[in-house]
Structures are given as structure tokens and as C-alpha cells.
Amino acid sequence: MTHFKPLRLLLALLLTAPVFGQTIGNPAAVTPRMRVILDNDFSGDPDGLFALAHLLASPSVDVRGIIGSHLRVGDGFDNSTRQAQNAAAKAHELMQVMNVTRPIPVLAGSDTALPNDSTPVRNEAVNLIIREALRTDTKQPLYLLCGAGLTEAAAALLTAPQIADKLTIVWIGGPEYASMALPPPNYSSPEYNLNIDIAAARAVFNRSSVGIWQVPRSTYRQALLPYSQLLLQVKPQGKTGAYLSGLLEALMVRITRYVNIGETYVLGDSPLVLLTALQSSFEADPSSSEYEIRQAPLINAQGEYAYNAKGRTIRVYSRIDTQLMFNDFFAKLMLLK
């Protein structure tokens, strides 16, 4: 019935906005209110790619750069000597699947940890962080989202200490705080992400004054995705859902050869999106998650916390709003389909 075509066209214009190579939502309803740089070991645990997909689908953030970072030497996820380059390649691969057309820099970080807590590595990823932090043409806050080690974050702070008050690091990593939670059974020490680059963690915690929102192991382990939801809420949702679910299912099969992991998987990097893109509307803050204000501990050479009487205060998240986080992720996958 041709007389409905103008109405359908009007509705399409009102209900769509440019995202990647397609259109979703009203372009005037949600616009960026913060800048983010995502730094993650995308060639490792696929949780980083889930977080990247979620972030790229979030219109309230301006993604200023994506950094592929290294794992620990010999890591089972990627035991090559090109971990950072492989991570950047995986980020590019996902962006192609999602048909991202915006010119977002994707850079490989260092393939090695810092030699010590006072000597920075130098690369274009570090320069990107410094350059974005020193911008004077915007008042939008800058968050450096770190879902693995802290190599590039530490290097940027060591190279240009003046950026410490110009950004906030949101870090998925570090062991439990004794007053907040007990470690899980058969826990590893040092904690996985901290162990990627202990020297970098020491540089960020012990030597800098940068603002930190920390999501330690006891908290990021709350981000449990059931296999049932992977099958129903992720896998059917277009190319992006199929790509992400394929990565995770393949890993689950691989892991099951060695240990029975049950029917949930920790998407531990997804709180990076929850704490930024999904902040409250008025008086912007991650209001549905809970944190404590603590003195930043010292981190010793063994990757353990030590009391620091002069430590600055940091946020340590104790509970994350997984319902908001996952419901938003599922909805955005459906919208991208």
C-alpha cells in the first residue's frame, strides 16, 4: 500500500541514528559525554572482545583509541612473542564484523612488560594516551579502561606525570582486599592481570597520583554469563553475536579438555563498560554499583598489597550491577542485528 511509504520513511528517520555502517536509535537522544581509551589483551581471554563490542555499541562514549596489549610470557591463550600485535589484529577483526566505519585508532602496545617500575616503554599507544589526556579543546572526562596489565598506562604516567589529574584509570585487576572478600578456592597469586606486569602496577599505584577505579578479582568474578544466555541472547544476534559466541564456545570446549568449568563464564572485562557508558543520567556516576573509598595500597615485588599510610584514596568496587550490564549488552546486540 503505497500511501504508507511516507509515514514509514518518517518513522525510519526519527528512530535511526548512524552507528558503524548501520543506523540505530535517535541521534539526538544520546550523544557522547565522555572519552574512553580501551586497553586490553584481545588475543587472550575473549572477555575483552565482548567488552569492546559493548563499548563500540554505546553512544554515550567517544572511543578515542583501542590498544592491544600483551599477556604474560608463555600465556596459554597466546604464547607467541607478538601478543600485542595479535591483540590489535583481533580488535580489527571484531570491528570489521561489526562494520565499524568510524576512524578509531587501533594500536599495538608493548609486547613486553616494563623492565622496572620507573622505566617506561615507548610506543604510539603510550603517545595516544598522553596526547588525549593533554587535550584542551574538550571538557569531557577521559577514562583509560584497562582490562589486562597496566604497561601502557604506567608508561604514559612515567613519561608525562602531568597527565595524572587529567584522566581516570578503570582497572580490572588485583587480588581481594582482606576486609572486603576472601579469595576463591585454588586462587592464583599474583592475581592474573596484575601478574601480566607487576612493575607497571607498582608504577601506577606506588609512584603516581592518578585516579583509580579498581575492580578486583572478588568483584570482576561476579560478571557470570550462563551458557544458556550465550545461546539465547548472544549467538542468534547477527554477525556480532555469532562471532562472539563462536569465540567463547570454542574456548569452553578447549578448556573442558583440562578442567570442567561448568555452565558459566566470567566476562570480567564488561564492568569497564558498566562503569562508564552506563553511568546515571543526572549527577553522572556508576550509581547502581557499589564501592569503597580506600587508601591506595603499595604493591610489592611479589604482586601483593602492602599498607601505605600516605596512600591517596581510590575507588575499589565491591559489587557490580550485572543485571544492567548484561541486559544492556543483550539489547544492543539485538539492535545491531
Side-chain angles (χ1 to χ4, degrees):
M1 298 177 65
T2 56
H3 60 281
F4 285 130
K5 286 184 178 179
L7 176 59
R8 288 201 298 267
L9 177 60
L10 177 61
L11 288 173
L13 291 173
L14 288 175
L15 296 176
T16 59
V19 178
F20 319 139
Q22 58 184 311
T23 53
I24 297 173
N26 187 326
V30 182
T31 57
R33 61 174 177 173
M34 64 185 69
R35 297 169 291 149
V36 300
I37 297 172
L38 179 60
D39 182 331
N40 216 310
D41 53 355
F42 300 111
S43 69
D45 190 326
D47 64 340
L49 291 167
F50 277 74
L52 175 57
H54 195 175
L55 196 71
L56 289 170
S58 299
S60 65
V61 298
D62 180 5
V63 181
R64 302 301 302 169
I66 299 166
I67 299 171
S69 59
H70 68 90
L71 299 155
R72 190 166 174 81
V73 174
D75 190 287
F77 282 112
D78 181 355
N79 61 7
S80 75
T81 59
R82 295 175 50 83
Q83 294 169 341
Q85 288 91 336
N86 292 343
K90 292 298 289 187
H92 271 297
E93 183 176 274
L94 173 62
M95 292 169 73
Q96 289 175 349
V97 169
M98 297 180 69
N99 193 25
V100 176
T101 57
R102 291 176 299 176
I104 302 173
V106 180
L107 302 171
S110 172
D111 277 312
T112 61
L114 298 189
N116 53 59
D117 65 359
S118 59
T119 304
V121 295
R122 301 185 186 279
N123 55 51
E124 283 306 307
V126 173
N127 294 340
L128 169 69
I129 295 169
I130 296 171
R131 185 168 58 250
E132 192 63 37
L134 292 177
R135 282 179 59 186
T136 58
D137 62 334
T138 178
K139 294 184 178 180
Q140 288 184 348
L142 174 63
Y143 295 90
L144 177 56
L145 310 182
C146 298
L150 291 169
T151 304
E152 270 62 49
L157 289 161
L158 289 169
T159 302
Q162 69 271 27
I163 71 172
D165 64 350
K166 303 181 187 302
L167 78 162
T168 299
I169 291 177
V170 186
W171 182 43
I172 307 293
E176 297 75 13
Y177 286 83
S179 63
M180 295 174 65
L182 294 173
N186 304 312
Y187 68 94
S188 60
S189 184
E191 181 272 333
Y192 184 88
N193 281 350
L194 194 156
N195 199 35
I196 291 174
D197 193 341
I198 294 175
R202 298 186 74 196
V204 171
F205 277 76
N206 302 3
R207 301 178 65 93
S208 82
S209 59
V210 71
I212 298 173
W213 293 0
Q214 184 184 5
V215 183
R217 178 170 54 197
S218 52
T219 308
Y220 70 68
R221 292 180 73 249
Q222 297 170 19
L224 289 174
L225 177 73
Y227 183 53
S228 58
Q229 285 193 310
L230 182 75
L231 295 178
L232 291 177
Q233 305 276 23
V234 179
K235 193 171 186 175
Q237 306 308 329
K239 292 182 179 179
T240 303
Y243 174 82
L244 292 173
S245 62
L247 290 175
L248 190 49
E249 280 192 289
L251 177 61
M252 292 171 70
V253 170
R254 175 183 165 195
I255 292 175
T256 301
R257 298 172 186 170
Y258 308 99
V259 60
N260 188 337
I261 63 169
E263 58 180 281
T264 65
Y265 197 84
V266 179
L267 292 184
D269 290 339
S270 291
L272 295 172
V273 186
L274 171 69
L275 299 180
T276 51
L278 301 180
Q279 292 184 12
S280 53
S281 50
F282 298 100
E283 302 167 330
D285 198 57
S287 59
S288 64
S289 297
E290 297 174 1
Y291 63 88
E292 293 184 8
I293 297 292
R294 304 179 66 98
Q295 283 185 300
L298 292 170
I299 295 179
N300 64 26
Q302 290 72 47
E304 300 167 337
Y305 299 139
Y307 178 66
N308 182 11
K310 297 181 180 179
R312 67 194 182 284
T313 56
I314 63 173
R315 287 190 185 190
V316 179
Y317 277 85
S318 58
R319 188 188 65 81
I320 53 172
D321 186 350
T322 55
Q323 182 176 1
L324 171 62
M325 182 176 74
F326 283 131
N327 283 346
D328 182 70
F329 176 58
F330 299 149
K332 283 170 176 167
L333 283 180
M334 292 177 67
L335 291 168
L336 289 173
K337 186 176 177 180

